[in-house]
């Protein structure tokens, strides 16, 4: 029996689910940065600050004190709303904030379901982006085909499965993520160079 992506994330130890969720959140930050750059709205710093704190926590655990609720407030304060922003970029920016807020909630409550939800948010963000751009004038059947076959949609699933393959292998041998693992995962994001919807990370 082949498990789907979300079932595989659920099967990971929670510490590795955290790394997976962080990886996906970090890939979405450029979408917010581009929106901020174009509109001047908000501030990417709380998003990256929250993620930096969580990356440190991911391998040090209780050795570092992270106020997840406070970081969540800071992210909420800079989250855009579709009202007042008549541009497509608002949705990927909102999704980046939603993913980070969901991650923080999961860590606050030690709730695995929230960490799995981050993967769902990332996939849904790609789907919505495609629907609003290339799929805007398509009928329902064409749109379903687009969401199934478009390279961005396929790439998102491939990326999630690739990081899962890596984390599953490491988790078999190491009970907790190490600093080295966290550094490697962050390097993988930098090497990838684009967000989940193809925004370049070299914008900044």
């Amino acid at each position: 029996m082949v498990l789907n992506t979300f079932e595989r994330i659920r099967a990971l130890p929670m510490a590795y689910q955290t790394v997976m969720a962080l990886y996906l959140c970090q890939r979405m930050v450029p979408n917010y940065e581009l929106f901020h750059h174009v509109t001047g709205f908000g501030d990417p710093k709380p998003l990256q600050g929250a993620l930096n704190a969580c990356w440190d926590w991911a391998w040090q655990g209780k050795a570092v004190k992270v106020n997840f609720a406070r970081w969540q407030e800071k992210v909420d304060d800079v989250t855009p709303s579709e009202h007042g922003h008549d541009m497509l970029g608002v949705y990927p920016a909102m999704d980046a904030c939603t993913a980070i807020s969901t991650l923080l909630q999961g860590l606050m409550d030690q709730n695995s379901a929230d960490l799995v939800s981050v993967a769902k948010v990332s996939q849904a963000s790609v789907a919505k982006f495609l629907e609003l751009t290339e799929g805007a004038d398509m009928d329902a059947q064409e749109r379903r085909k687009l969401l199934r076959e478009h390279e961005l949609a396929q790439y998102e699933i491939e990326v999630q499965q690739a990081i899962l393959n890596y984390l599953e292998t490491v988790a078999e041998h190491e009970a907790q993520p190490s600093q080295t693992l966290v550094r490697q995962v962050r390097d993988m994001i930098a090497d990838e160079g684009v967000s989940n919807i193809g925004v370049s990370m070299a914008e900044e």
Side-chain angles (χ1 to χ4, degrees), residues 82 187 192:
E82 58 200 285
D187 285 347
E192 200 183 325

Side-chain angles (χ1 to χ4, degrees), residues 5-196:
T5 304
F6 304 132
E7 289 166 338
R8 287 175 65 192
I9 300 170
R10 275 188 210 102
L12 279 175
M14 188 151 178
Y16 285 93
Q17 290 177 351
T18 301
V19 174
M20 170 94 186
L22 273 164
Y23 171 88
L24 295 174
C25 286
Q26 190 71 65
R27 283 177 71 241
M28 295 171 80
V29 170
N31 302 338
Y32 184 96
E33 290 172 343
L34 180 62
F35 173 76
H36 168 71
H37 180 71
V38 171
T39 64
F41 175 89
D43 183 358
K45 290 193 194 73
L47 278 68
Q48 193 55 58
L51 290 178
N52 288 343
C54 292
W55 280 117
D56 287 341
W57 187 85
W59 66 274
Q60 294 180 81
K62 293 187 172 68
V64 289
K65 285 270 186 286
V66 179
N67 187 338
F68 299 118
R70 184 73 193 99
W71 278 115
Q72 196 178 43
E73 284 172 19
K74 289 182 179 182
V75 171
D76 288 347
D77 285 345
V78 297
T79 300
S81 139
E82 58 200 285
H83 307 295
H85 292 290
D86 187 23
M87 61 175 295
L88 290 174
V90 70
Y91 295 105
M94 285 162 58
D95 293 337
C97 295
T98 299
I100 295 171
S101 184
T102 303
L103 163 74
L104 291 163
Q105 191 67 47
L107 295 179
M108 208 166 8
D109 298 340
Q110 285 296 289
N111 180 6
S112 171
D114 283 329
L115 301 180
V116 178
S117 288
V118 171
K120 295 178 181 177
V121 171
S122 187
Q123 284 191 21
S125 183
V126 175
K128 182 158 195 167
F129 177 73
L130 291 173
E131 281 179 2
L132 293 172
T133 50
E134 294 176 43
D137 299 321
M138 291 180 175
D139 64 32
Q141 194 174 352
E142 287 175 320
R143 199 176 293 132
R144 276 197 297 275
K145 186 172 188 284
L146 173 80
L147 298 184
R148 198 169 53 244
E149 297 178 4
H150 194 281
E151 60 184 358
L152 272 180
Q154 292 187 343
Y155 184 61
E156 173 67 14
I157 291 169
E158 285 165 15
V159 162
Q160 290 198 11
Q161 291 180 345
I163 184 72
L164 264 170
N165 291 342
Y166 178 56
L167 293 177
E168 284 168 348
T169 305
V170 177
E172 282 177 19
H173 306 289
E174 297 177 28
Q176 288 293 321
S178 63
Q179 183 178 15
T180 305
L181 170 83
V182 166
R183 195 177 293 130
Q184 284 171 340
V185 170
R186 296 189 76 168
D187 285 347
M188 284 159 68
I189 301 165
D191 290 345
E192 200 183 325
V194 291
S195 78
N196 62 337

